[in-house]
């Protein structure tokens, strides 16, 4: 049996692959069938609103379910929640193969959203639970890679199959069958039984590495209201950043069509974004060390520039290059956000709940894109096909200014060696909590 390092021992490789397989499902609701929305509208003679509901409503349904799953997916119930969610998602996909109306497809899409929502926190929470230090960052990057690569494969599959038989395209929603088959290898019982402790030499090496990156001041996890403030800041960062970059998949088809570009060129630009997100996520540890402490600011600047360039250019090659750069930077930031979530949570046990909060913001971002962009387009009375990209770039520029002002804030500060808070960050948190307690005592 092959093993992989957990940062505190070893676990079977099959268990890591099983955990990563959960991420095959988490970006599928809505996005997977988007390439054939126009085809479905023609078949069912449905309105544009109905077509949009097929992609947006499942994401809306997922938001409360993800938060709920983060609370109930404790180690005791984790396997039950996972199996339930994957089963619901799989059954909704299976029935979609025989659906004969847009209304029924929307309902089944929402059911798939419920199932997917139950497993989303577990996809990241299980990695946080079993892995530490460098392996945790690397595996969270692989989680991001897996989920985004699946979007590319799903879109290619749907785009090809939908022209032959649109019913068959919904087979993409049967992907949950893969992690369902691998569930026995990721149960608490199986992993604990097959965990291997480090040898004395390996333990000494791990201890030395941990000591080198270990904050001098406890605790490792932020506490009280300071933890809550960091969670809110992290959610705001993730919501706005995901909202801005999602413009590529939402608006590239419409903008490029107005410029006379074909669907193949649209597919290249969109795939460039998701492909680079997947690629950079796989090497996030190396890229963090390459860029060093300013990595967050560099990535925000790249995303800002990439989106604005897409909004102003009429050249498909420039668009593709800008899309690649945007995906590259976002692919680095996403797993960094995931890793920070594990330390913002007040305890290791609360990690799953905090992942529920943070990951639900991803689906909130996808939901808000058309509404927010339409609102601001009307305010500015813009008729430019690239308005949404330029506006998104300006929003990211605002995030960059915020990050520079708050550069000492744990949300934006990055230590290439470890995601754990530095002694200074922990000291500020403790001073903040002490000041609050002192103020509360004085008020009494």
């Amino acid at each position: 049996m092959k093993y992989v390092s957990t940062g505190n021992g070893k676990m079977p490789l099959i268990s890591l692959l099983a955990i990563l397989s959960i991420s095959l499902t988490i970006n599928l609701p809505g996005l997977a069938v988007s390439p054939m929305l126009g085809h479905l509208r023609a078949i069912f003679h449905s309105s544009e609103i109905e077509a949009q509901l097929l992609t947006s409503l499942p994401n809306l349904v997922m938001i409360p379910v993800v938060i709920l799953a983060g609370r109930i997916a404790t180690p005791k119930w984790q396997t039950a929640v996972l199996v339930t969610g994957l089963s619901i998602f799989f059954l909704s996909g299976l029935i979609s193969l025989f659906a004969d109306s847009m209304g029924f497809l929307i309902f089944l899409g929402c059911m798939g959203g419920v199932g997917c929502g139950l497993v989303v926190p577990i996809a990241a929470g299980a990695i946080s639970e079993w892995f530490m230090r460098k392996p945790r960052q690397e595996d969270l990057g692989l989680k991001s890679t897996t989920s985004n690569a699946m979007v590319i494969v799903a879109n290619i599959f749907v785009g090809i199959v939908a022209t032959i038989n649109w019913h068959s395209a919904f087979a993409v929603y049967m992907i949950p069958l893969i992690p369902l088959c691998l569930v026995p290898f990721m149960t608490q019982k199986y992993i604990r039984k097959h965990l291997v402790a480090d040898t004395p030499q390996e333990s000494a090496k791990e201890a030395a590495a941990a000591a080198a990156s270990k904050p001098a001041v406890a605790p490792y996890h932020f506490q009280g209201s300071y933890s809550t403030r960091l969670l809110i800041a992290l959610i705001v960062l993730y919501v706005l950043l995901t909202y801005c970059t999602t413009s590529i998949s939402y608006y590239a088809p419409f903008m490029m069509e107005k410029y006379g570009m074909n669907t193949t060129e649209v597919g290249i630009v969109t795939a460039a974004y998701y492909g680079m997100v997947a690629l950079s996520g796989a090497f996030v540890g190396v890229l963090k060390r390459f860029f060093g402490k300013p990595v967050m600011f560099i990535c925000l600047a790249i995303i800002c520039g990439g989106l604005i360039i897409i909004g102003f250019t009429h050249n498909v090659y420039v668009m593709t290059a800008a899309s690649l750069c945007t995906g590259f930077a976002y692919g680095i930031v996403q797993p960094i956000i995931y890793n920070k979530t594990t330390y913002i949570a007040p305890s290791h046990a609360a990690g799953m709940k905090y992942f529920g909060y943070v990951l639900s913001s991803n689906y909130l971002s996808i939901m808000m894109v058309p509404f927010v962009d339409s609102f601001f387009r009307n305010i500015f009375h813009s008729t430019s096909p690239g308005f949404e990209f330029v506006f998104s770039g300006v929003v990211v520029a605002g995030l960059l200014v915020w990050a520079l002002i708050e550069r000492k804030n744990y949300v934006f500060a990055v230590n290439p060696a470890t995601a754990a808070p530095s002694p200074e960050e922990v000291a500020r948190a403790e001073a903040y909590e002490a000041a609050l307690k002192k103020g509360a005592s004085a008020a009494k």
Side-chain angles (χ1 to χ4, degrees):
M1 183 182 292
K2 290 191 175 182
Y3 288 82
V4 293
S5 174
T6 65
N8 190 33
K10 291 181 175 65
M11 74 153 54
L13 173 62
I14 185 64
S15 295
L16 172 60
L17 294 176
I19 292 171
L20 289 174
S21 72
I22 303 172
S23 296
L24 292 171
T25 67
I26 64 176
N27 280 347
L28 288 183
L31 288 178
V33 297
S34 58
M36 67 171 179
L37 287 183
H39 190 53
L40 291 177
R41 281 187 63 192
I43 292 172
F44 294 114
H45 307 289
S46 59
S47 66
E48 185 175 344
I49 292 294
E50 284 180 305
Q52 288 178 338
L53 287 176
L54 190 58
T55 57
S56 60
L57 206 55
N59 288 286
L60 177 63
V61 170
M62 286 178 70
I63 296 171
V65 178
V66 171
I67 295 173
L68 175 64
R71 289 180 169 273
I72 63 176
T74 59
K76 180 180 179 181
W77 297 104
Q78 190 178 106
T79 302
V81 173
L82 178 62
V83 171
T84 300
L86 291 173
S87 299
I88 293 173
F89 196 178
F90 171 75
L91 288 173
S92 71
L94 182 64
I95 298 172
S96 293
L97 294 172
F98 308 98
D100 57 359
S101 71
M102 182 65 85
F104 193 32
L105 285 174
I106 292 172
F107 170 75
L108 291 171
C110 291
M111 290 303 298
V114 170
C116 185
L118 287 173
V119 308
V120 164
I122 301 174
I127 294 174
S128 173
E129 179 182 358
W130 295 109
F131 294 87
M132 298 176 62
R133 295 186 286 274
K134 183 181 176 182
R136 177 189 287 172
Q137 179 70 87
E138 291 175 346
D139 292 334
L140 285 171
L142 289 175
K143 173 209 168 298
S144 178
T145 295
T146 303
S147 59
N148 286 290
M150 189 62 230
V151 172
I152 300 172
V153 174
N155 276 268
I156 293 172
F157 172 80
V158 171
I160 295 172
V161 175
T163 58
I164 303 169
N165 185 324
W166 68 267
H167 280 102
S168 300
F170 282 95
V172 73
Y173 284 155
M174 299 176 69
I175 287 294
L177 187 61
I178 296 175
L180 266 175
C181 292
L182 294 173
V183 163
F185 301 105
M186 56 177 131
T187 62
Q188 296 279 325
K189 182 179 178 180
Y190 180 88
I191 295 178
R192 292 189 188 283
K193 180 180 177 181
H194 292 86
L195 277 176
V196 177
D198 284 332
T199 63
Q201 293 83 0
E202 290 173 325
S203 298
K205 186 177 179 181
E206 289 286 347
S213 61
K214 182 178 179 180
V217 183
Y220 281 94
H221 296 269
F222 292 100
Q223 303 297 313
S225 58
Y226 202 87
S227 169
T228 304
R229 288 175 65 230
L230 291 176
L231 173 64
I232 293 171
L234 201 64
I235 288 174
V236 170
L237 172 65
Y238 196 26
V239 165
L240 292 179
L241 202 55
T242 304
Y243 148 74
C244 291
T245 55
T246 302
S247 297
I248 293 176
S249 57
Y250 256 94
Y251 295 109
F254 303 107
M255 182 185 73
M256 294 175 71
E257 182 183 11
K258 290 181 180 178
Y259 291 152
M261 300 177 191
N262 58 43
T263 54
T264 300
E265 292 171 320
V266 173
I268 291 171
V269 170
T270 306
Y273 167 73
Y274 283 108
M276 193 52 75
V277 172
L279 184 63
S280 58
F283 299 98
V284 64
V286 175
L287 293 170
K288 270 178 61 179
R289 292 189 291 275
F290 176 78
F291 287 115
K293 292 183 179 180
V295 61
M296 185 72 78
F297 315 121
I298 293 171
C299 288
L300 289 175
I302 292 173
I303 293 170
C304 172
L307 291 171
I308 291 176
I309 288 171
I310 292 173
F312 279 117
T313 189
H314 295 189
N315 185 289
V316 66
Y317 299 107
V318 177
M319 285 182 187
T320 303
S323 184
L324 284 168
C325 291
T326 303
F328 170 77
Y330 182 75
I332 297 172
V333 174
Q334 192 178 52
I336 288 176
I337 289 175
Y338 295 157
N339 209 359
K340 285 182 178 291
T341 303
T342 64
Y343 293 96
I344 285 174
S347 67
H348 190 73
M352 194 73 74
K353 180 173 68 174
Y354 270 53
F355 270 116
Y357 293 137
V358 171
L359 293 173
S360 65
S361 64
N362 177 67
Y363 304 101
L364 174 62
S365 304
I366 296 171
M367 269 296 302
M368 64 189 275
V369 170
F371 304 105
V372 173
D373 286 337
S374 297
F375 175 76
F376 282 100
R377 178 181 277 275
N378 292 332
I379 285 181
F380 291 106
H381 305 289
S382 175
T383 57
S384 169
F387 170 81
E388 288 82 8
F389 293 99
V390 176
F391 179 74
S392 294
V394 171
V395 172
V396 178
L399 287 177
L400 177 58
V401 172
W402 177 33
L404 290 170
I405 293 172
E406 292 286 318
R407 58 189 175 277
K408 293 183 179 180
N409 189 314
Y410 176 69
V411 171
F412 301 107
V414 176
N415 180 350
T418 176
S422 67
E424 293 78 12
E425 288 162 340
V426 175
R428 280 197 296 272
E430 290 182 331
Y432 177 83
E433 288 299 311
L436 285 182
K437 290 178 181 177
K438 185 177 179 180
S441 300
K444 292 180 180 179

